[in-house]
Amino acid sequence: SLNKMNYIRLRKNNLCVENLPAHKLAKKYKTPFYCYSLAQLKNNYHAVNNAFKTIKPIICFSIKSNSNLALLKELKKMGAGADVVSIGELLKATKVGISAKKIVFSGIGKTEEEIRMAIKKRVLLINAESESEVNLINKISKKISIKTSIGIRLNPNVTGKTHKKISTGGKNEKFGLVYKDFINLCKKISKMKNLKLEGISVHIGSQITNVKPFKEVLSAINKIINKTKINFKFIDLGGGMGISYTKKGRQLNLKQYAQLVNKFIKNKNSKIIFEPGRFIIGNTGILITKVIYIKKSNAKNFIILDAGMNNLMRPALYDAHHQILPLKKTNNFLKGNIEFVGPICESADKFSKEKRFQKIKEGDFVGLTNVGAYGMSLSSNYNTRPTIAEIIVKGSKHKIIRKRQSLQNLVNN
Ligand code: PLP
């Protein structure tokens, strides 16, 4: 498939990030820390760009998946726009130089302050999710004499067959407007003087690895277009493109998705927008962590890491599985009930259970893989632990792109 190239991999028994053995980084930087491959980031962005090259979509990187400024700068250089969901993300997008004309603002609970900022910056689209929000956007636009471009998010009643906590497209979810409400709101907007209805947007959830739900989404959009006869300038298909989290796992077939979209867009003069997060950033990152203690208890081997659920919340929040790899591979194995856990005072603070793992000892390092998306961005100071460093690797070079939070800063906040 289009995204096969893997820049974080075993080379001669060393887990490497591009040309750099990860154990070298583990000796240099205080663990735990996130480490990203720039080549992988470029590879992924270009994979999306190439798959859809015939329709030249606007690719709005979903900043919620990873908001590191250095990574955002790299994406900006590649031509990415941004999907933002808060004033903070909006300011970060503009700070790295992403043009407002490539920014879409999503979210069901935008505040007045956020809407005012988005209007003033003249973002490409504010994707509204309720009639109240539309009224507020109109009111603020009127006050500052601007005609604002908006989209409406459709709830297409399509579920992505993904984990229930990352599924957003079902009719019982809080997102978007269901068919009837969507149609009614279109009529109301046509009478609002300070709004231009330019977009229809959808996002049915994350980590979707099969094109079928996307196909259903496209027919739901066609149904709206046929009914309203609106020639939407932008059709925003959201993100959700799934990646593989294991060696044999599947990822979304971009080629198939592109074929569907190409067919859908034929005879329409709308521009397609995508909001991918995970597909672009997910496999670029690894979380490097040290084994603090190994504890035998009740016929189990607990491997206690210095990274916890505050650093990587996906396993606790979504039952997500991130493969754990030793930084140096050997052929001696430990068998039995092995459980990798973090140091946090929560029983949900566990990463994976294994029946077989390479023999490791206290002080060794391991890497949690595919943590570039919703890793650092979902992290917290829970248990009053500092936010950790982020490192980027380019070839054999490495540098810090976010410092570990100092104890002083942590304690005084
Ligand atoms: N767009 C919207 C509106 C979202 O809510 C999300 C994620 O939750 C995304 C895009 C990005 O999704 P993904 O990382 O699966 O591509």
Side-chain angles (χ1 to χ4, degrees), residues 62 64 83 106 153 203 205-207 239-241 275-278 374:
S62 193
K64 67 167 78 71
D83 159 46
S106 316
R153 178 163 171 181
H203 173 78
S206 201
Q207 186 52 13
M241 302 162 190
E275 303 171 356
R278 188 190 308 268
Y374 309 103

Side-chain angles (χ1 to χ4, degrees), residues 138-189:
N138 189 43
K139 192 174 130 197
I140 300 171
S141 303
K142 193 172 169 186
K143 222 186 239 166
I144 49 184
S145 310
I146 288 178
K147 197 159 180 177
T148 301
S149 299
I150 65 162
I152 314 177
R153 178 163 171 181
L154 172 68
N155 178 323
N157 193 20
V158 172
T159 54
K161 290 187 186 64
T162 180
H163 188 275
K164 63 178 186 311
K165 286 191 186 163
I166 51 173
S167 182
T168 59
K171 66 173 189 293
N172 294 320
E173 304 297 341
K174 66 182 178 179
F175 301 99
L177 284 108
V178 295
Y179 181 80
K180 240 179 75 197
D181 299 341
F182 190 106
I183 306 279
N184 289 333
L185 190 55
C186 287
K187 286 179 199 145
K188 290 182 182 160
I189 293 171

Side-chain angles (χ1 to χ4, degrees), residues 23 38 220 335:
H23 64 80
L38 179 59
K335 285 182 191 162

Side-chain angles (χ1 to χ4, degrees), residues 97-354:
I98 294 174
S99 150
K101 283 291 146 239
K102 283 186 176 180
I103 297 176
V104 294
F105 199 136
S106 316
I108 65 158
K110 301 175 198 81
T111 64
E112 196 168 330
E113 180 192 23
E114 289 175 323
I115 290 173
R116 191 174 301 112
M117 178 71 80
I119 293 172
K120 281 191 174 159
K121 289 203 181 284
R122 292 179 161 76
V123 298
L124 183 67
L125 284 179
I126 300 176
N127 284 328
E129 304 208 24
S130 63
E131 185 173 343
S132 302
E133 184 190 343
V134 166
N135 289 334
L136 182 59
I137 301 171
N138 189 43
K139 192 174 130 197
I140 300 171
S141 303
K142 193 172 169 186
K143 222 186 239 166
I144 49 184
S145 310
I146 288 178
K147 197 159 180 177
T148 301
S149 299
I150 65 162
I152 314 177
R153 178 163 171 181
L154 172 68
N155 178 323
N157 193 20
V158 172
T159 54
K161 290 187 186 64
T162 180
H163 188 275
K164 63 178 186 311
K165 286 191 186 163
I166 51 173
S167 182
T168 59
K171 66 173 189 293
N172 294 320
E173 304 297 341
K174 66 182 178 179
F175 301 99
L177 284 108
V178 295
Y179 181 80
K180 240 179 75 197
D181 299 341
F182 190 106
I183 306 279
N184 289 333
L185 190 55
C186 287
K187 286 179 199 145
K188 290 182 182 160
I189 293 171
S190 67
K191 298 190 187 93
M192 297 186 190
K193 295 218 166 61
N194 289 81
L195 298 182
K196 278 181 286 184
L197 177 55
E198 292 194 323
I200 175 168
S201 81
V202 284
H203 173 78
I204 54 167
S206 201
Q207 186 52 13
I208 296 163
T209 51
N210 186 312
V211 292
K212 193 164 163 272
F214 290 118
K215 199 172 173 181
E216 291 168 26
V217 163
L218 296 176
S219 8
I221 296 174
N222 273 334
K223 212 171 128 194
I224 293 275
I225 293 175
N226 291 337
K227 175 78 181 171
T228 59
K229 304 275 183 287
I230 296 175
N231 183 2
F232 292 101
K233 191 168 169 192
F234 301 104
I235 299 176
D236 179 346
L237 298 177
M241 302 162 190
I243 65 170
S244 158
Y245 279 95
T246 56
K247 232 178 182 167
K248 289 184 190 143
R250 67 182 288 174
Q251 65 169 41
L252 181 73
N253 186 325
L254 276 191
K255 212 169 163 179
Q256 279 178 12
Y257 189 21
Q259 278 165 357
L260 287 178
V261 177
N262 290 349
K263 193 173 148 206
F264 163 84
I265 202 70
K266 235 183 201 168
N267 309 319
K268 291 189 177 72
N269 52 8
S270 306
K271 190 82 177 161
I272 293 286
I273 297 171
F274 288 112
E275 303 171 356
R278 188 190 308 268
F279 198 92
I280 287 180
I281 204 80
N283 71 348
T284 67
I286 180 169
L287 174 60
I288 296 178
T289 168
K290 186 159 77 179
V291 176
I292 308 180
Y293 300 116
I294 298 178
K295 174 163 94 169
K296 282 200 174 119
S297 170
N298 252 338
K300 252 190 198 176
N301 281 297
F302 285 105
I303 317 256
I304 303 167
L305 304 174
D306 65 1
M309 63 186 281
N310 75 306
N311 306 117
L312 177 66
M313 182 143 78
R314 297 190 67 255
L317 186 63
Y318 308 127
D319 309 314
H321 182 71
H322 290 274
Q323 200 178 2
I324 300 180
L325 297 175
L327 303 194
K328 286 185 186 177
K329 187 171 171 260
T330 68
N331 287 316
N332 304 316
F333 286 92
L334 180 69
K335 285 182 191 162
N337 293 318
I338 304 156
E339 197 163 323
F340 285 90
V341 300
I344 306 273
C345 307
E346 294 284 345
S347 41
D349 186 28
K350 50 190 167 198
F351 294 116
S352 92
K353 287 181 183 165
E354 312 286 339

